Amino acid sequence: TPSHQPTEPSKPLPIDIFPRMYTTREVYARFQEHEFRAKNDFKNCRLMVTGKIKKIGTVTFSKKPLVTLSIPDSDEGLKFIFDNTDSNNDEVAALDIGKSIVIAGINAEKGSFGGVFLDDSILMSDMISKEPHKQRQILVPTDGFYDRVICRK
């Protein structure tokens, strides 16, 4: 009789994220240079951005959490809108102004009164490998979900 090996659950695979991570300055520059092209480039993928937290609050006329990352040499910011869920509220409440962070959002577009807004945001810092030599890697499921949806530069 053939021996059946138990199948192990698939482990997350590390994927190098450095080529996919943007700074707030890079995203803002893309929108300043050609707003329509930037919006089009970022519409079908999750834009992953690293920066410092400038402000934490809620969206006007809504209870959705809003985290603003500062853009160097600008008064504007990249504004990440989170869905109003208990887990998102808890994660955003635990953040500190001035802290460096990695957040990803979709549908990046310029706001009417300045700044760039991203919807359906998620905190990525927890998903990045904490091991020093793997600092620029992200753990993803073996089907490569994040590999497909994270915007490439």
Side-chain angles (χ1 to χ4, degrees), residues 47 78-81 105-109 116-121:
L47 182 59
L78 257 58
K79 300 168 192 296
F80 291 85
I81 301 168
I106 59 172
N107 300 326
E109 65 179 278
V116 175
F117 287 81
L118 295 98
D119 296 324
D120 192 22
S121 299

Side-chain angles (χ1 to χ4, degrees), residues 17 36 53 80 102 116:
I17 60 166
F36 187 85
I53 299 173
F80 291 85
V102 179
V116 175

Side-chain angles (χ1 to χ4, degrees), residues 40-78:
N40 193 55
D41 287 349
F42 298 141
K43 74 178 178 194
N44 292 321
C45 57
R46 189 170 284 284
L47 182 59
M48 190 166 54
V49 183
T50 179
K52 281 195 173 161
I53 299 173
K54 177 180 182 176
K55 189 175 177 188
I56 301 168
T58 54
V59 178
T60 310
F61 307 120
S62 159
K63 289 190 163 89
K64 290 185 175 187
L66 176 74
V67 176
T68 304
L69 299 184
S70 61
I71 301 167
D73 307 320
S74 169
D75 292 337
E76 298 187 41
L78 257 58

Side-chain angles (χ1 to χ4, degrees), residues 124-140:
M124 300 293 283
S125 302
D126 297 339
M127 300 179 196
I128 295 176
S129 174
K130 299 286 189 267
E131 298 175 48
H133 65 286
K134 293 183 177 177
Q135 205 159 15
R136 298 286 187 205
Q137 293 187 330
I138 186 166
L139 301 175
V140 300

Side-chain angles (χ1 to χ4, degrees), residues 15-28:
I15 287 179
D16 182 14
I17 60 166
F18 190 62
R20 300 154 201 259
M21 192 163 10
Y22 287 79
T23 64
T24 54
R25 185 191 307 257
E26 289 170 328
V27 175
Y28 187 65

